[in-house]
């Protein structure tokens, strides 16, 4: 065993004697830095776009009013009244951060129905109801009183004769929760945004439950029900950030977890670098002639091969750990650590469970490393068969970069279902866990079986190519 560890140590010495190794380590650091700089640029771009949007709000209203006066489409007088009112109150046209924008659109949208209701028998009651809602909403906007607007919304729903009692409760849940828990309508506030999302999700779930569900629809409903439980847990326990739903495409304002949780998408960079090492560690010995000196030692060939493979695997995880750590450091540097204690929320048995965000991310890195291990093993097998490091590296890189695209092409375009049994359709365990693969009912267990079968083939190929090879 001591001799075997000495072989592994010698392999590490060879790796760290190469300047290319330090270049690759530097690239890992640069990848982490690049992600954070990109996120910083995106954040600044969004801030600037929001500011410029606010700056041209008055000009927007003037342009719309002039157009309506010239074109005179049906109902243009009421539209002009709406734009004039919103301009006078300095309300953003479609502002995400000003509740009055949505309120103004809704009250004028309802008022536009009055002309039609005048021609409907018994429409007087609905017209009265709309006018009451319009007046109450307008007063709330003029007074900047979001609570009054919520009360107007609740009254509107309660007086709707077309809704059942259960439907009324579902539709007014958002406004009632705000009043009960004093949550202002504010696009900048996480709880307010989460309330809007949760209210919409409650309606979606309830609607889906009323219809007959089967197959994929049942799975989608289950996901929505789990997300609803998580949202309600966050609201009740003041959980500002959920690591599980953080990311550059989901957060309004970036924080530590927005950026760090997105770093898993760059694990492929580490995989590319590991392929270079795996593809050259055996082939380079034969092409340079150093294999003769290596075989002089009284050590069996399979032990030499195993020591090289152990070095490849252990070095892979060292680079992955480096990538994990430098991502944390750079993200702390650029975005601070305000929410470092944020949990990862998941649902099991109808209950919401919270765990450490860092442990969850470490698990996501491990799942992401499966593709790295598989592709490096393929490169290692090819390296054991050929003398050219460039060939082993090139074929493996091509397989890694084109594999997933080829699977999607064969599945979606050519409609070939057996492609699910290929290695490239099963290495992205993160997608399989979240159910975002193109194959229905694909499970982690099935993926692991496919991976295990291919890995056995790769390792037997490497063993046969190295042990029986003439020097």
């Amino acid at each position: 065993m001591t001799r075997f560890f000495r072989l592994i140590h010698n392999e590490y010495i060879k790796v760290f004697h190469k300047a290319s190794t330090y270049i690759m380590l530097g690239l890992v650091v640069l990848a982490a830095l690049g992600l954070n700089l990109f996120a910083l640029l995106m954040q600044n771009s969004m801030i600037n776009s929001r500011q410029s949007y606010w700056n041209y709000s008055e000009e927007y209203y003037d342009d719309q009013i002039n157009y309506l006066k010239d074109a005179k489409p049906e109902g243009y007088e009421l539209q002009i009244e709406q734009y004039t009112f919103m301009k006078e109150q300095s309300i953003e046209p479609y502002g995400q951060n000003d509740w009055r924008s949505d309120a103004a659109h809704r009250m004028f949208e309802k008022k536009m129905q009055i002309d039609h209701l005048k021609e409907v028998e018994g429409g007087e009651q609905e017209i009265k109801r709309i006018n009451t809602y319009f007046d109450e909403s307008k007063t709330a906007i003029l007074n900047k009183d979001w609570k009054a607007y919520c009360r107007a919304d609740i009254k509107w729903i309660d007086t709707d004769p077309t809704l059942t009692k259960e439907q009324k409760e579902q539709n007014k849940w958002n406004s009632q929760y705000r009043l009960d828990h004093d949550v202002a309508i504010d696009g900048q506030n996480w709880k307010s945004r989460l309330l809007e999302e949760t209210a919409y999700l409650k309606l979606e779930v309830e609607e889906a439950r009323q219809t007959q569900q089967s197959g994929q629809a049942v799975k989608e409903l289950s996901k929505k029900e789990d997300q609803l439980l998580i949202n309600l847990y966050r609201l009740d326990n003041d959980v500002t950030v959920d690591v599980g739903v953080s990311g550059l495409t989901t957060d309004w304002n970036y924080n530590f977890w927005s950026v760090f949780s997105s770093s898993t998408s760059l694990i492929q960079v580490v995989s590319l670098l590991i392929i270079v090492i795996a593809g050259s560690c055996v082939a380079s010995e034969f092409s340079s002639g150093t294999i003769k000196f290596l075989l002089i030692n009284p050590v069996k060939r399979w032990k030499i091969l195993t020591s090289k493979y152990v070095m490849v695997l252990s070095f892979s995880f060292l680079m992955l750990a480096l990538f994990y750590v430098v991502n944390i450091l750079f993200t702390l540097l650029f975005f601070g650590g305000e929410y470092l204690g944020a949990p990862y929320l998941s649902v099991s048995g109808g209950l919401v469970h919270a765990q450490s965000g860092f442990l969850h991310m470490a698990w996501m890195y491990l799942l992401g490393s499966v593709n790295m291990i598989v592709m490096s093993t393929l490169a290692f097998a090819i390296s054991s068969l050929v003398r050219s490091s460039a060939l082993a590296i090139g074929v493996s890189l091509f397989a890694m970069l084109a594999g997933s695209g080829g699977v999607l092409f064969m599945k979606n375009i050519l409609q070939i279902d057996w492609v699910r049994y290929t290695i490239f359709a099963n290495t992205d365990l993160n997608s399989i866990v979240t159910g975002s693969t193109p194959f229905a009912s694909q499970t982690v267990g099935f993926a692991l079986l496919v991976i295990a079968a291919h890995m056995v083939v790769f390792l037997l190929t490497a063993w046969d190519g190295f042990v029986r090879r003439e020097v």
Side-chain angles (χ1 to χ4, degrees), residues 192-329:
S192 179
R193 296 198 308 271
L194 185 62
L195 258 175
E196 295 290 341
E197 176 191 323
T198 306
Y200 181 74
L201 191 58
K202 282 174 71 71
L203 292 174
E204 273 194 322
V205 169
E206 189 60 32
E207 183 179 343
R209 286 172 177 170
Q210 300 302 321
T211 60
Q212 186 67 30
Q213 301 290 315
S214 62
Q216 185 66 22
V218 173
K219 193 174 182 180
E220 290 299 321
L221 175 58
S222 178
K223 286 183 182 179
K224 289 178 180 179
E225 289 175 332
D226 288 349
Q227 189 58 54
L228 180 58
L229 287 175
I230 290 174
N231 286 4
L232 293 173
Y233 179 91
R234 290 180 62 189
L235 290 170
D236 294 341
N237 295 276
D238 287 325
V239 180
T240 307
V241 173
D242 173 17
V243 175
V245 295
S246 295
L248 297 181
T249 59
T250 55
D251 290 299
W252 289 70
N253 298 307
Y254 291 163
N255 55 62
F256 175 86
W257 292 107
S258 305
V259 183
F260 184 46
S261 63
S262 300
S263 64
T264 54
S265 61
L266 291 181
I267 292 177
Q268 192 173 29
V269 174
V270 181
S271 302
L272 293 173
L273 299 176
I274 290 299
I275 284 175
V276 175
I277 294 176
S280 62
C281 68
V282 179
S284 61
E285 298 277 13
F286 285 92
S287 60
S288 63
T290 54
I291 187 64
K292 295 178 180 179
F293 300 103
L294 189 61
L295 296 179
I296 290 175
N297 295 312
V299 181
K300 294 182 179 180
R301 284 195 180 193
W302 70 267
K303 287 189 176 181
I304 296 174
L305 182 69
T306 304
S307 68
K308 287 181 176 293
Y309 185 61
V310 170
M311 181 277 295
V312 169
L313 292 183
S314 57
F315 193 74
S316 300
F317 284 105
L318 283 175
M319 289 187 72
L320 195 64
L322 173 65
F323 189 57
Y324 182 89
V325 172
V326 294
N327 263 303
I328 291 176
L329 296 177

Side-chain angles (χ1 to χ4, degrees), residues 99-390:
W99 64 270
R100 298 176 303 161
S101 176
D102 182 58
H105 282 291
R106 288 185 64 188
M107 72 184 202
F108 277 99
E109 181 182 334
K110 291 183 179 4
K111 193 172 184 180
M112 288 178 184
Q113 302 172 17
I114 290 179
D115 288 340
H116 170 70
L117 290 170
K118 289 178 181 178
E119 303 174 0
V120 178
E121 184 178 353
E124 296 83 3
Q125 189 66 30
E126 185 66 13
I127 292 174
K128 181 180 179 181
R129 181 168 165 262
I130 289 174
N131 284 329
T132 300
Y133 176 81
F134 184 90
D135 293 338
E136 291 177 350
S137 297
K138 186 176 181 179
T139 301
I141 291 174
L142 292 173
N143 295 330
K144 298 182 179 180
D145 186 353
W146 66 268
K147 290 185 178 180
Y149 175 66
C150 286
R151 287 192 289 269
D153 184 60
I154 292 173
K155 184 177 179 180
W156 168 264
I157 295 170
D158 279 336
T159 56
D160 189 340
T162 65
L163 297 177
T164 65
K165 182 180 179 181
E166 292 75 15
Q167 289 173 327
K168 289 178 181 179
E169 291 299 321
Q170 288 288 338
N171 281 276
K172 68 182 183 181
W173 177 83
N174 185 359
S175 295
Q176 192 63 60
Y177 190 99
R178 291 183 183 279
L179 293 174
D180 294 342
H181 298 81
D182 196 29
V183 182
I185 307 174
D186 181 5
Q188 295 284 357
N189 181 272
W190 71 271
K191 184 173 281 190
S192 179
R193 296 198 308 271
L194 185 62
L195 258 175
E196 295 290 341
E197 176 191 323
T198 306
Y200 181 74
L201 191 58
K202 282 174 71 71
L203 292 174
E204 273 194 322
V205 169
E206 189 60 32
E207 183 179 343
R209 286 172 177 170
Q210 300 302 321
T211 60
Q212 186 67 30
Q213 301 290 315
S214 62
Q216 185 66 22
V218 173
K219 193 174 182 180
E220 290 299 321
L221 175 58
S222 178
K223 286 183 182 179
K224 289 178 180 179
E225 289 175 332
D226 288 349
Q227 189 58 54
L228 180 58
L229 287 175
I230 290 174
N231 286 4
L232 293 173
Y233 179 91
R234 290 180 62 189
L235 290 170
D236 294 341
N237 295 276
D238 287 325
V239 180
T240 307
V241 173
D242 173 17
V243 175
V245 295
S246 295
L248 297 181
T249 59
T250 55
D251 290 299
W252 289 70
N253 298 307
Y254 291 163
N255 55 62
F256 175 86
W257 292 107
S258 305
V259 183
F260 184 46
S261 63
S262 300
S263 64
T264 54
S265 61
L266 291 181
I267 292 177
Q268 192 173 29
V269 174
V270 181
S271 302
L272 293 173
L273 299 176
I274 290 299
I275 284 175
V276 175
I277 294 176
S280 62
C281 68
V282 179
S284 61
E285 298 277 13
F286 285 92
S287 60
S288 63
T290 54
I291 187 64
K292 295 178 180 179
F293 300 103
L294 189 61
L295 296 179
I296 290 175
N297 295 312
V299 181
K300 294 182 179 180
R301 284 195 180 193
W302 70 267
K303 287 189 176 181
I304 296 174
L305 182 69
T306 304
S307 68
K308 287 181 176 293
Y309 185 61
V310 170
M311 181 277 295
V312 169
L313 292 183
S314 57
F315 193 74
S316 300
F317 284 105
L318 283 175
M319 289 187 72
L320 195 64
L322 173 65
F323 189 57
Y324 182 89
V325 172
V326 294
N327 263 303
I328 291 176
L329 296 177
F330 280 131
T331 308
L332 281 172
L333 176 64
F334 288 109
F335 296 92
E338 183 179 1
Y339 302 109
L340 281 183
Y344 167 74
L345 302 177
S346 60
V347 177
S348 178
L351 297 175
V352 178
H353 302 275
Q355 71 175 89
S356 165
F358 287 103
L359 286 178
H360 168 69
M361 285 303 300
W363 176 243
M364 296 299 288
Y365 267 62
L366 287 176
L367 289 179
S369 71
V370 171
N371 185 60
M372 174 182 71
I373 298 305
V374 171
M375 290 298 104
S376 62
T377 303
L378 173 61
F380 185 78
I382 298 174
S383 178
S384 301
L385 293 174
V386 300
R387 290 181 177 270
S388 173
S389 299

Side-chain angles (χ1 to χ4, degrees), residues 83-97:
Y83 288 134
T84 302
F85 173 75
M86 294 179 73
K87 178 183 176 182
E88 289 173 350
Q89 300 303 315
S90 299
I91 301 174
E92 294 182 57
Y94 295 96
Q96 298 285 352
N97 302 323

